[in-house]
């Protein structure tokens, strides 16, 4: 339920907004959530802009400065640090068009590439600075032409994959908690042993994990590195990330938020042999390999002693119980979204917002996103009980509805579809299945 006590009327220069253009309107009163207080956001914008150039160049050789856009997810009210293309002065306040998704991401809109953020911003100053830096890094790579090809690391849903990842995290945490070189090196060696064993067990693991660490891992490292004021604070943030990571129900799209900062900070403190590691990481080097080389470690082998040092036996027992429950959940989702009946929606220009810590892989069928909002040519789909995305991101599937749409609105069990004009469903290849189809293009009338 939305509580209206946090709404206030603020005089702003309002904008009547479409997906590609904006029309200036006269002075108006716009309801702005109190958690989106313009003055506080302006202060956060100013703080970021003071350091974004120097810190970005120090870490990555490029400025991280960017226009910032904070959007309230319920009201779609936004506060931006600047007007698009310099069309106004001071903060820009308005309503984000419905055909744009709200997420922490780089957003190209109104002729500007923004750092878009879901409001409210974190209350912790370190986490607030870190979030701005994280998303500014994504925006930087977007403007430099980087193609972020995230993949769902399905092996991290496997019992062994999850266990070895968590053992790696525990060893990384042990390394971050000590500054004694020999003790740290031993903990890092343990982490690398678990990492190597996991990648030896799963043939696609090295490539798939690198893709997410290259994207989200380096971005979160940037946030941690610039969020805290000193090395002790940075280590504390990285340890928080490692502790929070194990609480997520799924690691397949979220693990790099923990691994990236841990490896990055250890590389920062690894001495002269680690110099230049960030440039090598941007060029495609693996973070684990970079740290191994920086510390002069040989390829570590797995051993029972290593697992025992990090509580492997108890962890494996907990993961066996978790695997039993996860298998039952995956089977229920398979019956619902694979065996059908289902409604299939083609993906052509998809924009999606979702929680990366909740995904459920279904093998060759793709991955289930328990909650998501998808915007595409056919309209928008809001899901609360599961949508299956194919591995190539060309098809979304929900359970078939019990009845047809009412005008442009179609509701099924756990989903709502707002249809664009002309889109309709036709019978699918299986009994009970439906497929969303584009409007028919009429031939031009013959000239007389």
């Amino acid at each position: 339920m939305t509580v209206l006590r946090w709404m206030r009327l603020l005089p702003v220069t309002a904008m009547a907004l479409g997906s590609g253009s904006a029309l200036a309107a006269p002075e108006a009163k716009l309801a702005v959530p109190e958690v989106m207080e313009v003055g506080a956001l302006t202060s956060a914008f100013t703080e970021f802009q003071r350091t974004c150039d120097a810190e970005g160049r120090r870490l990555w050789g490029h400025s991280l400065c960017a226009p910032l856009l904070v959007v309230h997810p319920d009201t779609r009210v936004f506060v931006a640090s600047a007007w698009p293309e310099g069309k106004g002065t001071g903060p820009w306040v308005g309503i984000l068009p419905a055909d744009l998704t709200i997420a922490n991401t780089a957003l190209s809109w109104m002729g500007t590439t923004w750092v878009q953020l879901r409001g409210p911003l974190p209350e912790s100053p370190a986490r607030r600075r870190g979030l701005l830096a994280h998303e500014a890094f994504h925006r930087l790579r977007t403007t430099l032409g980087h193609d972020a090809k995230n993949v769902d690391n399905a092996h991290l849903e496997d019992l062994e994959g999850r266990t070895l990842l968590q053992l790696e995290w525990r060893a990384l945490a042990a390394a971050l908690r000590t500054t004694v070189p020999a003790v740290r090196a031993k903990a890092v060696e343990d982490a690398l042993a678990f990492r190597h064993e996991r990648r030896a067990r799963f043939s696609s693991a090295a490539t798939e994990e690198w893709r997410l660490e290259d994207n989200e891992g380096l971005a979160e490292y940037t946030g941690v590195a610039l969020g805290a004021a000193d090395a002790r604070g940075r280590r504390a943030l990285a340890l928080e990330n490692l502790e929070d990571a194990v609480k997520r129900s799924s690691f397949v799209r979220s693990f790099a938020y923990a691994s990236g900062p841990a490896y990055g900070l250890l590389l920062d403190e690894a001495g002269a042999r680690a110099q230049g590691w960030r440039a090598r990481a941007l060029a495609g080097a693996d973070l684990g390999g970079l740290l191994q080389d920086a510390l002069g470690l040989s390829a570590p082998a797995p051993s029972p002693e290593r697992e025992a040092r990090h509580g492997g036996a108890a962890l494996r027992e907990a993961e066996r119980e978790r695997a039993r429950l996860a298998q039952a959940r995956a089977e229920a989702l398979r019956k619902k979204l694979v065996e059908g009946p289902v409604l299939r929606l083609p993906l052509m220009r998809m924009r999606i917002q979702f929680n990366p810590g909740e995904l459920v892989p279904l093998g060759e069928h793709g991955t289930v996103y328990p909650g998501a909002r998808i915007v595409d040519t056919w309209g928008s789909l809001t899901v609360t009980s599961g949508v299956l995305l194919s591995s190539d991101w060309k098809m979304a599937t929900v359970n078939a509805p019990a009845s047809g749409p009412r005008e442009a609105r179609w509701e099924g069990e756990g989903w709502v579809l707002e249809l664009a004009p002309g889109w309709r469903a036709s019978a699918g290849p299986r009994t009970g299945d439906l497929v969303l189809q584009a409007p028919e293009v009429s031939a031009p009338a013959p000239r007389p």
Side-chain angles (χ1 to χ4, degrees):
M1 177 183 293
T2 301
V3 183
L4 295 180
R5 63 178 173 80
W6 47 256
M7 301 293 286
R8 56 185 292 198
L9 291 177
L10 181 72
V12 297
T13 301
M15 304 287 284
L17 301 174
S19 61
S21 62
L23 176 65
E27 189 83 356
K29 286 187 179 294
L30 181 67
V32 178
E34 195 169 285
V35 291
M36 295 276 289
E37 207 278 318
V38 176
L41 287 174
T42 301
S43 296
F45 297 159
T46 301
E47 179 187 29
F48 173 72
Q49 299 294 353
R50 276 200 303 265
T51 60
C52 56
D53 183 71
E55 294 287 27
R57 294 184 188 280
R58 178 178 67 83
L59 290 183
W60 304 112
H62 296 276
S63 173
L64 289 174
C65 296
L68 308 171
L69 182 81
V70 181
V71 190
H72 191 274
D74 296 330
T75 64
R76 305 189 72 83
V77 171
F78 69 77
V79 179
S81 62
W83 288 62
E85 301 177 342
K87 293 178 180 177
T89 59
W92 180 34
V93 182
I95 305 292
L96 195 72
D99 62 346
L100 296 177
T101 53
I102 301 172
N104 296 329
T105 188
L107 171 68
S108 294
W109 174 57
M110 297 292 293
T112 301
T113 301
W114 307 86
V115 171
Q116 185 197 48
L117 302 149
R118 285 171 62 95
L121 296 181
E123 293 184 6
S124 161
R127 287 300 183 185
R128 183 170 58 248
R129 290 191 295 268
L131 177 61
L132 293 176
H134 176 122
E135 298 305 333
F137 176 81
H138 281 313
R139 190 246 184 206
L140 168 64
R141 298 193 88 183
T142 297
T143 60
L144 293 176
H146 175 70
D147 185 13
K149 293 182 178 179
N150 289 336
V151 294
D152 296 334
N153 290 260
H155 64 281
L156 296 181
E157 187 66 13
D158 181 270
L159 187 152
E160 278 300 317
R162 285 179 54 90
T163 300
L164 290 168
L165 177 64
Q166 290 174 86
L167 288 170
E168 180 186 358
W169 284 346
R170 291 181 180 188
L172 288 172
L176 287 168
R177 291 192 185 101
T178 182
T179 56
V180 179
V183 178
R184 174 171 285 187
K186 186 175 183 179
V188 168
E189 193 174 63
D190 286 350
L192 293 174
F194 300 132
R195 187 180 180 92
H196 291 174
E197 183 179 359
R198 184 176 66 252
R199 293 180 172 188
R201 283 176 176 266
F202 303 98
S203 59
S204 64
T207 299
E208 292 184 358
E209 290 179 13
W210 170 80
R211 286 181 177 174
L212 199 61
E213 286 184 341
D214 175 65
N215 189 30
E216 296 298 350
L218 293 181
E220 185 64 7
Y221 157 76
T222 304
V224 167
L226 301 186
D230 54 29
R232 182 177 180 181
R234 289 188 284 272
R235 288 194 293 270
L237 290 179
L239 285 167
E240 281 183 13
N241 281 22
L242 288 165
E243 292 168 3
D244 290 343
V246 299
K247 301 173 186 176
R248 294 177 180 264
S249 61
S250 171
F251 301 151
V252 298
R253 282 290 294 272
S254 64
F255 79 93
Y257 293 85
S259 301
Y263 277 106
L265 295 187
L266 290 169
L267 280 160
D268 282 346
E269 299 178 8
R273 293 185 61 171
Q275 195 168 20
W277 75 264
R278 298 185 201 93
R280 295 197 293 277
L282 287 179
D286 177 73
L287 293 176
L290 288 170
L291 186 57
Q292 181 177 327
D293 293 344
L295 297 180
L297 301 175
S298 58
S303 71
E305 292 75 22
R306 293 190 197 277
E307 285 208 11
R309 276 198 291 272
H310 302 284
L315 175 60
R316 285 185 181 281
E317 185 59 34
E319 282 299 315
R320 288 189 189 98
E321 176 59 19
R322 187 260 176 201
R324 184 182 66 79
L325 297 174
Q327 184 176 2
R329 183 189 185 196
E331 184 58 30
L333 289 170
R334 183 177 289 104
K335 288 181 179 179
K336 174 181 176 182
L337 298 173
V338 176
E339 297 177 7
V342 298
L343 167 64
R344 302 186 190 279
L345 302 89
L347 300 175
M348 294 160 286
R349 301 176 61 187
M350 178 183 68
R351 295 188 296 274
I352 183 172
Q353 61 191 72
F354 64 95
N355 184 342
E358 298 180 341
L359 311 190
V360 182
L362 292 185
E364 71 276 13
H365 304 295
T367 299
V368 176
Y369 292 61
R373 183 172 187 266
I374 299 174
V375 176
D376 209 310
T377 309
W378 36 255
S380 65
L381 174 70
T382 302
V383 180
T384 57
S385 66
V387 55
L388 175 65
L389 265 62
S390 60
S391 300
D392 58 7
W393 280 35
K394 291 183 178 180
M395 186 69 68
T397 303
V398 293
N399 54 295
S403 58
R406 294 185 177 181
E407 296 182 349
R409 184 181 176 89
W410 206 355
E411 294 189 29
E413 181 186 346
W415 58 265
V416 175
L417 176 61
E418 301 285 350
L419 285 168
W423 283 83
R424 60 183 180 81
S426 62
R430 303 180 310 184
T431 303
D433 283 1
L434 297 169
V435 179
L436 204 60
Q437 289 195 330
E440 294 182 0
V441 179
S442 300
R447 292 184 178 183

